Amino acid sequence: MIDAWRPFDEWLYRYYFRVTTDGWQHLPAADSMLLVGSHNGGMLAPDTLMFMVDWFRKFGAARPVYGLMHPNVWLLPGYAQLTVKLGAVQAHPKMASAALRRGAAVLVYPGGAEDLW
């Protein structure tokens, strides 16, 4: 699913949001890690999506990264199912711990709904 969506995501990345990033050289080569971000894009969270596009550009879809998503998103069944296929899991400490134990990277936005906008 990730590879199927990449052309559309790349277009958003390059031409709509015009993303620029740096600092990737500071990340561990293959270990699990917790990445902390700050929301600024509302319910659709383009900040998370664009980070994940950049992640897959750098590491490929074979290196797992999971974005913790607010529990209210799971009330939107179609959207929730799509985001799961792209790497989202429900924001809960047990979900984050399980992903980290499996060697994945986990992306969290600690402000949750309060910082969403």
Side-chain angles (χ1 to χ4, degrees), residues 70-81:
H70 192 279
N72 287 350
V73 174
W74 307 102
L75 301 175
L76 306 168
Y79 183 66
Q81 291 169 347

Side-chain angles (χ1 to χ4, degrees), residues 103-115:
V106 175
L107 180 58
V108 62
Y109 295 89
E114 292 178 20
D115 291 345

